[in-house]
Amino acid sequence: AQTVTQSQPEMSVQEAETVTLSCTYDTSESDYYLFWYKQPPSRQMILVIRQEAYKQQNATENRFSVNFQKAAKSFSLKISDSQLGDAAMYFCAYRRGDKIIFGKGTRLHILP
Amino acid sequence: GAVVSQHPSWVICKSGTSVKIECRSLDFQATTMFWYRQFPKQSLMLMATSNEGSKATYEQGVEKDKFLINHASLTLSTLTVTSAHPEDSSFYICSARDPHRGPMNTEAFFGQGTRLTVV
C-alpha cells in the first residue's frame, strides 16, 4: 500500500526567509504523481505544486519549488521569501490512478 | 480554474437524524468524485469514490450503510450521513477531477468542506 509520511508536525520560519518541508512516500509503482496542497484556516484545499514522477526536473511555481528524489522516494517543498499568507497546513500527497493519499500534514507558522 | 462547490458549509443535527451533503462540479462534468473526512488537526482520509451511474467504492473500515453516496449526475454527488451520532462529527470534503483539464489530467479540485456537528 502507498503511504505518505511527513515527519514535521509543525515548523516556523521568519518572514522573508526560506523553509523546507519534508515528505517521503512509499510505493512500488514507477508512474505516479506527487502534490503539495495548502490548507489555510478557511480549510479550502489549494494546490501548491505538482510533480510527475517520470520527470526528472524539479517543479517550480514562483516562490515554491520541490526537491524530488525518486530513488529515495523523497519530495520536499521549499518556500522562498516566506510571507505571512503562507501560514497554513501543508499536505504532501501521492496519486496513482484516481486515489490521492495524503500525509498527516505540517503546520507552518510565519513569524513576523 | 475549475470549481467544486460543497453545500452546506456547516450543519448541526440531532443524534439519530440524517444529514445530506452535496458536492457539485460547477463548470465541468465529473464522472468520479471523492469524499474525504478530516478530524481536527489531522489529515484527509479517503472515505469513498463516487462513480456516476454506479455504486460508490468504499475504503476499508467505512460503513457503506452509514455513509450513503449517490452520484446521480455528472455534476452532483451527495453524501448522506444516516442515523448520525456525535462521533460522526467531523469535517467532510469532496473533490473531483476534470478529465478535460490540467496537464496529464492530474489536478483534483476540492470543495470548501462541510463541518458536521452532531449533538
Side-chain angles (χ1 to χ4, degrees):
Chain A
Q2 294 87 11
T3 58
V4 179
T5 303
Q6 292 179 250
S7 59
Q8 306 150 315
E10 289 194 63
M11 290 194 73
S12 296
V13 63
Q14 208 74 37
E15 194 177 1
E17 296 296 308
T18 295
V19 64
T20 298
L21 309 183
S22 301
C23 174
T24 58
Y25 59 95
D26 185 28
T27 184
S28 58
E29 305 294 338
S30 59
D31 184 21
Y32 51 87
Y33 303 92
L34 297 166
F35 308 86
W36 278 97
Y37 281 91
K38 171 184 177 181
Q39 188 180 43
S42 68
R43 305 194 76 169
Q44 174 73 56
M45 296 291 283
I46 301 167
L47 178 65
V48 174
I49 199 165
R50 70 168 68 86
Q51 175 82 42
E52 292 88 349
Y54 68 87
K55 288 188 177 178
Q56 292 185 335
Q57 186 174 6
N58 290 323
T60 298
E61 288 287 342
N62 300 313
R63 298 182 296 108
F64 300 88
S65 62
V66 298
N67 183 2
F68 174 47
Q69 301 291 327
K70 191 172 184 179
K73 297 179 183 175
S74 171
F75 183 61
S76 61
L77 173 70
K78 185 172 81 171
I79 306 175
S80 304
D81 185 25
S82 298
Q83 301 175 0
L84 294 177
D86 295 334
M89 280 290 289
Y90 285 82
F91 292 99
C92 178
Y94 164 102
R95 177 185 158 238
R96 173 166 167 78
D98 272 340
K99 292 184 182 180
I100 298 178
I101 308 299
F102 290 89
K104 292 190 174 182
T106 298
R107 181 168 299 281
L108 179 64
H109 304 277
I110 310 295
L111 306 174
Chain B
V3 178
V4 172
S5 177
Q6 201 170 327
H7 177 81
S9 54
W10 61 271
V11 59
I12 301 173
C13 71
K14 289 186 177 180
S15 250
T17 63
S18 296
V19 61
K20 180 185 288 187
I21 303 169
E22 294 186 346
C23 181
R24 294 181 184 272
S25 55
L26 297 186
D27 56 356
F28 66 97
Q29 294 182 329
T31 54
T32 307
M33 291 186 177
F34 307 89
W35 287 96
Y36 293 86
R37 180 173 182 176
Q38 186 179 28
F39 289 102
K41 298 185 179 181
Q42 293 192 28
S43 187
L44 283 73
M45 301 301 296
L46 180 64
M47 298 175 65
T49 302
S50 171
N51 305 298
E52 189 269 336
S54 65
K55 291 183 178 180
T57 304
Y58 290 82
E59 295 299 302
Q60 192 172 12
V62 177
E63 298 177 63
K64 60 179 69 176
D65 294 330
K66 179 161 196 60
F67 298 101
L68 299 180
I69 291 173
N70 184 277
H71 195 153
S73 77
L74 286 170
T75 59
L76 173 65
S77 175
T78 60
L79 168 67
T80 301
V81 184
T82 63
S83 187
H85 290 284
E87 56 265 31
D88 298 325
S89 299
S90 192
F91 193 70
Y92 294 87
I93 305 176
C94 71
S95 78
R97 279 196 300 116
D98 182 352
H100 302 296
R101 287 194 193 214
M104 305 301 291
N105 188 23
T106 59
E107 185 171 354
F109 300 97
F110 287 82
Q112 59 269 58
T114 298
R115 180 178 299 284
L116 169 63
T117 302
V118 184
V119 297

